[in-house]
mmCIF file with all atom_site columns, all heavy atoms in Angstrom:
data_model
loop_
_atom_site.group_PDB
_atom_site.id
_atom_site.type_symbol
_atom_site.label_atom_id
_atom_site.label_alt_id
_atom_site.label_comp_id
_atom_site.label_asym_id
_atom_site.label_entity_id
_atom_site.label_seq_id
_atom_site.pdbx_PDB_ins_code
_atom_site.Cartn_x
_atom_site.Cartn_y
_atom_site.Cartn_z
_atom_site.occupancy
_atom_site.B_iso_or_equiv
_atom_site.pdbx_formal_charge
_atom_site.auth_seq_id
_atom_site.auth_comp_id
_atom_site.auth_asym_id
_atom_site.auth_atom_id
_atom_site.pdbx_PDB_model_num
ATOM 1   N N   . ALA A 1 42 ? 8.214  23.991 -5.934 1.00 49.00 ? 232 ALA A N   1
ATOM 2   C CA  . ALA A 1 42 ? 7.135  23.524 -5.169 1.00 49.00 ? 232 ALA A CA  1
ATOM 3   C C   . ALA A 1 42 ? 5.785  23.212 -6.117 1.00 49.00 ? 232 ALA A C   1
ATOM 4   O O   . ALA A 1 42 ? 5.063  22.369 -5.649 1.00 49.00 ? 232 ALA A O   1
ATOM 5   C CB  . ALA A 1 42 ? 6.712  24.416 -4.040 1.00 49.00 ? 232 ALA A CB  1
ATOM 6   N N   . THR A 1 43 ? 5.675  23.946 -7.129 1.00 52.00 ? 233 THR A N   1
ATOM 7   C CA  . THR A 1 43 ? 4.571  23.645 -7.980 1.00 52.00 ? 233 THR A CA  1
ATOM 8   C C   . THR A 1 43 ? 4.593  22.398 -8.796 1.00 52.00 ? 233 THR A C   1
ATOM 9   O O   . THR A 1 43 ? 3.538  22.045 -9.299 1.00 52.00 ? 233 THR A O   1
ATOM 10  C CB  . THR A 1 43 ? 4.282  24.850 -8.893 1.00 52.00 ? 233 THR A CB  1
ATOM 11  O OG1 . THR A 1 43 ? 5.455  24.907 -9.736 1.00 52.00 ? 233 THR A OG1 1
ATOM 12  C CG2 . THR A 1 43 ? 4.218  26.195 -8.090 1.00 52.00 ? 233 THR A CG2 1
ATOM 13  N N   . SER A 1 44 ? 5.559  21.588 -8.600 1.00 55.00 ? 234 SER A N   1
ATOM 14  C CA  . SER A 1 44 ? 5.893  20.396 -9.332 1.00 55.00 ? 234 SER A CA  1
ATOM 15  C C   . SER A 1 44 ? 5.034  19.351 -8.559 1.00 55.00 ? 234 SER A C   1
ATOM 16  O O   . SER A 1 44 ? 4.935  18.226 -9.092 1.00 55.00 ? 234 SER A O   1
ATOM 17  C CB  . SER A 1 44 ? 7.344  20.074 -9.474 1.00 55.00 ? 234 SER A CB  1
ATOM 18  O OG  . SER A 1 44 ? 7.933  19.835 -8.243 1.00 55.00 ? 234 SER A OG  1
ATOM 19  N N   . THR A 1 45 ? 4.653  19.515 -7.336 1.00 64.00 ? 235 THR A N   1
ATOM 20  C CA  . THR A 1 45 ? 3.857  18.552 -6.637 1.00 64.00 ? 235 THR A CA  1
ATOM 21  C C   . THR A 1 45 ? 2.421  18.841 -6.902 1.00 64.00 ? 235 THR A C   1
ATOM 22  O O   . THR A 1 45 ? 1.985  19.969 -7.199 1.00 64.00 ? 235 THR A O   1
ATOM 23  C CB  . THR A 1 45 ? 4.192  18.666 -5.151 1.00 64.00 ? 235 THR A CB  1
ATOM 24  O OG1 . THR A 1 45 ? 3.891  19.919 -4.680 1.00 64.00 ? 235 THR A OG1 1
ATOM 25  C CG2 . THR A 1 45 ? 5.673  18.121 -4.882 1.00 64.00 ? 235 THR A CG2 1
ATOM 26  N N   . PRO A 1 46 ? 1.588  17.830 -6.719 1.00 74.00 ? 236 PRO A N   1
ATOM 27  C CA  . PRO A 1 46 ? 0.143  18.108 -6.982 1.00 74.00 ? 236 PRO A CA  1
ATOM 28  C C   . PRO A 1 46 ? -0.559 19.297 -6.184 1.00 74.00 ? 236 PRO A C   1
ATOM 29  O O   . PRO A 1 46 ? -1.477 19.873 -6.697 1.00 74.00 ? 236 PRO A O   1
ATOM 30  C CB  . PRO A 1 46 ? -0.528 16.797 -6.607 1.00 74.00 ? 236 PRO A CB  1
ATOM 31  C CG  . PRO A 1 46 ? 0.549  15.790 -6.704 1.00 74.00 ? 236 PRO A CG  1
ATOM 32  C CD  . PRO A 1 46 ? 1.936  16.453 -6.389 1.00 74.00 ? 236 PRO A CD  1
ATOM 33  N N   . ALA A 1 47 ? -0.168 19.427 -4.983 1.00 89.00 ? 237 ALA A N   1
ATOM 34  C CA  . ALA A 1 47 ? -0.630 20.620 -4.098 1.00 89.00 ? 237 ALA A CA  1
ATOM 35  C C   . ALA A 1 47 ? 0.442  21.201 -3.306 1.00 89.00 ? 237 ALA A C   1
ATOM 36  O O   . ALA A 1 47 ? 1.265  20.569 -2.868 1.00 89.00 ? 237 ALA A O   1
ATOM 37  C CB  . ALA A 1 47 ? -1.777 19.968 -3.190 1.00 89.00 ? 237 ALA A CB  1
ATOM 38  N N   . SER A 1 48 ? 0.245  22.573 -3.320 1.00 89.00 ? 238 SER A N   1
ATOM 39  C CA  . SER A 1 48 ? 1.318  23.411 -2.513 1.00 89.00 ? 238 SER A CA  1
ATOM 40  C C   . SER A 1 48 ? 0.565  24.356 -1.595 1.00 89.00 ? 238 SER A C   1
ATOM 41  O O   . SER A 1 48 ? -0.417 24.918 -1.946 1.00 89.00 ? 238 SER A O   1
ATOM 42  C CB  . SER A 1 48 ? 2.165  24.145 -3.455 1.00 89.00 ? 238 SER A CB  1
ATOM 43  O OG  . SER A 1 48 ? 2.929  23.326 -4.269 1.00 89.00 ? 238 SER A OG  1
ATOM 44  N N   . PHE A 1 49 ? 1.097  24.496 -0.296 1.00 93.00 ? 239 PHE A N   1
ATOM 45  C CA  . PHE A 1 49 ? 0.474  25.252 0.677  1.00 93.00 ? 239 PHE A CA  1
ATOM 46  C C   . PHE A 1 49 ? 1.491  26.143 1.276  1.00 93.00 ? 239 PHE A C   1
ATOM 47  O O   . PHE A 1 49 ? 2.633  25.775 1.469  1.00 93.00 ? 239 PHE A O   1
ATOM 48  C CB  . PHE A 1 49 ? -0.292 24.466 1.599  1.00 93.00 ? 239 PHE A CB  1
ATOM 49  C CG  . PHE A 1 49 ? -1.227 23.558 1.071  1.00 93.00 ? 239 PHE A CG  1
ATOM 50  C CD1 . PHE A 1 49 ? -1.027 22.243 0.596  1.00 93.00 ? 239 PHE A CD1 1
ATOM 51  C CD2 . PHE A 1 49 ? -2.685 23.911 0.993  1.00 93.00 ? 239 PHE A CD2 1
ATOM 52  C CE1 . PHE A 1 49 ? -1.926 21.433 0.016  1.00 93.00 ? 239 PHE A CE1 1
ATOM 53  C CE2 . PHE A 1 49 ? -3.715 23.149 0.409  1.00 93.00 ? 239 PHE A CE2 1
ATOM 54  C CZ  . PHE A 1 49 ? -3.345 21.858 0.041  1.00 93.00 ? 239 PHE A CZ  1
ATOM 55  N N   . THR A 1 50 ? 1.047  27.329 1.749  1.00 91.00 ? 240 THR A N   1
ATOM 56  C CA  . THR A 1 50 ? 2.052  28.174 2.487  1.00 91.00 ? 240 THR A CA  1
ATOM 57  C C   . THR A 1 50 ? 2.087  27.968 4.059  1.00 91.00 ? 240 THR A C   1
ATOM 58  O O   . THR A 1 50 ? 2.860  28.489 4.602  1.00 91.00 ? 240 THR A O   1
ATOM 59  C CB  . THR A 1 50 ? 1.553  29.716 2.265  1.00 91.00 ? 240 THR A CB  1
ATOM 60  O OG1 . THR A 1 50 ? 0.278  29.782 2.827  1.00 91.00 ? 240 THR A OG1 1
ATOM 61  C CG2 . THR A 1 50 ? 1.777  30.022 0.795  1.00 91.00 ? 240 THR A CG2 1
ATOM 62  N N   . ASP A 1 51 ? 1.105  27.160 4.492  1.00 92.00 ? 241 ASP A N   1
ATOM 63  C CA  . ASP A 1 51 ? 1.156  26.760 5.944  1.00 92.00 ? 241 ASP A CA  1
ATOM 64  C C   . ASP A 1 51 ? 0.463  25.452 6.150  1.00 92.00 ? 241 ASP A C   1
ATOM 65  O O   . ASP A 1 51 ? -0.347 24.980 5.305  1.00 92.00 ? 241 ASP A O   1
ATOM 66  C CB  . ASP A 1 51 ? 0.610  27.818 6.863  1.00 92.00 ? 241 ASP A CB  1
ATOM 67  C CG  . ASP A 1 51 ? -0.966 28.017 6.605  1.00 92.00 ? 241 ASP A CG  1
ATOM 68  O OD1 . ASP A 1 51 ? -1.716 27.208 6.980  1.00 92.00 ? 241 ASP A OD1 1
ATOM 69  O OD2 . ASP A 1 51 ? -1.304 29.071 6.150  1.00 92.00 ? 241 ASP A OD2 1
ATOM 70  N N   . PHE A 1 52 ? 0.827  24.779 7.315  1.00 96.00 ? 242 PHE A N   1
ATOM 71  C CA  . PHE A 1 52 ? 0.257  23.449 7.492  1.00 96.00 ? 242 PHE A CA  1
ATOM 72  C C   . PHE A 1 52 ? -1.118 23.381 7.782  1.00 96.00 ? 242 PHE A C   1
ATOM 73  O O   . PHE A 1 52 ? -1.809 22.408 7.365  1.00 96.00 ? 242 PHE A O   1
ATOM 74  C CB  . PHE A 1 52 ? 1.159  22.868 8.695  1.00 96.00 ? 242 PHE A CB  1
ATOM 75  C CG  . PHE A 1 52 ? 0.920  21.324 8.890  1.00 96.00 ? 242 PHE A CG  1
ATOM 76  C CD1 . PHE A 1 52 ? 0.844  20.481 7.813  1.00 96.00 ? 242 PHE A CD1 1
ATOM 77  C CD2 . PHE A 1 52 ? 0.843  20.848 10.265 1.00 96.00 ? 242 PHE A CD2 1
ATOM 78  C CE1 . PHE A 1 52 ? 0.584  19.084 8.048  1.00 96.00 ? 242 PHE A CE1 1
ATOM 79  C CE2 . PHE A 1 52 ? 0.738  19.428 10.424 1.00 96.00 ? 242 PHE A CE2 1
ATOM 80  C CZ  . PHE A 1 52 ? 0.501  18.544 9.365  1.00 96.00 ? 242 PHE A CZ  1
ATOM 81  N N   . ASP A 1 53 ? -1.654 24.471 8.389  1.00 96.00 ? 243 ASP A N   1
ATOM 82  C CA  . ASP A 1 53 ? -3.129 24.516 8.783  1.00 96.00 ? 243 ASP A CA  1
ATOM 83  C C   . ASP A 1 53 ? -3.903 24.462 7.424  1.00 96.00 ? 243 ASP A C   1
ATOM 84  O O   . ASP A 1 53 ? -4.959 23.761 7.328  1.00 96.00 ? 243 ASP A O   1
ATOM 85  C CB  . ASP A 1 53 ? -3.492 25.830 9.357  1.00 96.00 ? 243 ASP A CB  1
ATOM 86  C CG  . ASP A 1 53 ? -3.133 25.783 10.927 1.00 96.00 ? 243 ASP A CG  1
ATOM 87  O OD1 . ASP A 1 53 ? -2.828 24.753 11.483 1.00 96.00 ? 243 ASP A OD1 1
ATOM 88  O OD2 . ASP A 1 53 ? -2.778 26.791 11.411 1.00 96.00 ? 243 ASP A OD2 1
ATOM 89  N N   . ALA A 1 54 ? -3.331 25.064 6.382  1.00 95.00 ? 244 ALA A N   1
ATOM 90  C CA  . ALA A 1 54 ? -4.112 25.097 5.086  1.00 95.00 ? 244 ALA A CA  1
ATOM 91  C C   . ALA A 1 54 ? -4.167 23.714 4.470  1.00 95.00 ? 244 ALA A C   1
ATOM 92  O O   . ALA A 1 54 ? -5.191 23.198 3.980  1.00 95.00 ? 244 ALA A O   1
ATOM 93  C CB  . ALA A 1 54 ? -3.571 26.017 4.131  1.00 95.00 ? 244 ALA A CB  1
ATOM 94  N N   . LEU A 1 55 ? -3.100 22.887 4.644  1.00 96.00 ? 245 LEU A N   1
ATOM 95  C CA  . LEU A 1 55 ? -3.146 21.493 4.052  1.00 96.00 ? 245 LEU A CA  1
ATOM 96  C C   . LEU A 1 55 ? -4.078 20.675 4.958  1.00 96.00 ? 245 LEU A C   1
ATOM 97  O O   . LEU A 1 55 ? -4.749 19.858 4.440  1.00 96.00 ? 245 LEU A O   1
ATOM 98  C CB  . LEU A 1 55 ? -1.709 21.014 4.283  1.00 96.00 ? 245 LEU A CB  1
ATOM 99  C CG  . LEU A 1 55 ? -1.589 19.462 4.047  1.00 96.00 ? 245 LEU A CG  1
ATOM 100 C CD1 . LEU A 1 55 ? -2.016 18.967 2.579  1.00 96.00 ? 245 LEU A CD1 1
ATOM 101 C CD2 . LEU A 1 55 ? -0.149 18.985 4.248  1.00 96.00 ? 245 LEU A CD2 1
ATOM 102 N N   . LEU A 1 56 ? -4.045 20.836 6.282  1.00 96.00 ? 246 LEU A N   1
ATOM 103 C CA  . LEU A 1 56 ? -4.997 20.095 7.034  1.00 96.00 ? 246 LEU A CA  1
ATOM 104 C C   . LEU A 1 56 ? -6.387 20.394 6.740  1.00 96.00 ? 246 LEU A C   1
ATOM 105 O O   . LEU A 1 56 ? -7.259 19.464 6.868  1.00 96.00 ? 246 LEU A O   1
ATOM 106 C CB  . LEU A 1 56 ? -4.702 20.264 8.513  1.00 96.00 ? 246 LEU A CB  1
ATOM 107 C CG  . LEU A 1 56 ? -3.303 19.682 8.949  1.00 96.00 ? 246 LEU A CG  1
ATOM 108 C CD1 . LEU A 1 56 ? -3.010 20.033 10.434 1.00 96.00 ? 246 LEU A CD1 1
ATOM 109 C CD2 . LEU A 1 56 ? -3.186 18.197 8.911  1.00 96.00 ? 246 LEU A CD2 1
ATOM 110 N N   . ALA A 1 57 ? -6.776 21.590 6.390  1.00 96.00 ? 247 ALA A N   1
ATOM 111 C CA  . ALA A 1 57 ? -8.116 22.014 6.081  1.00 96.00 ? 247 ALA A CA  1
ATOM 112 C C   . ALA A 1 57 ? -8.550 21.652 4.689  1.00 96.00 ? 247 ALA A C   1
ATOM 113 O O   . ALA A 1 57 ? -9.638 21.819 4.304  1.00 96.00 ? 247 ALA A O   1
ATOM 114 C CB  . ALA A 1 57 ? -8.253 23.554 6.408  1.00 96.00 ? 247 ALA A CB  1
ATOM 115 N N   . SER A 1 58 ? -7.650 21.323 3.840  1.00 96.00 ? 248 SER A N   1
ATOM 116 C CA  . SER A 1 58 ? -7.888 21.027 2.371  1.00 96.00 ? 248 SER A CA  1
ATOM 117 C C   . SER A 1 58 ? -8.481 19.536 2.194  1.00 96.00 ? 248 SER A C   1
ATOM 118 O O   . SER A 1 58 ? -8.525 18.790 3.172  1.00 96.00 ? 248 SER A O   1
ATOM 119 C CB  . SER A 1 58 ? -6.550 21.236 1.628  1.00 96.00 ? 248 SER A CB  1
ATOM 120 O OG  . SER A 1 58 ? -5.682 20.031 1.768  1.00 96.00 ? 248 SER A OG  1
#
Side-chain angles (χ1 to χ4, degrees):
T233 61
S234 64
T235 57
S238 301
F239 301 87
T240 56
D241 63 73
F242 191 37
D243 287 334
L245 170 59
L246 294 177
S248 74

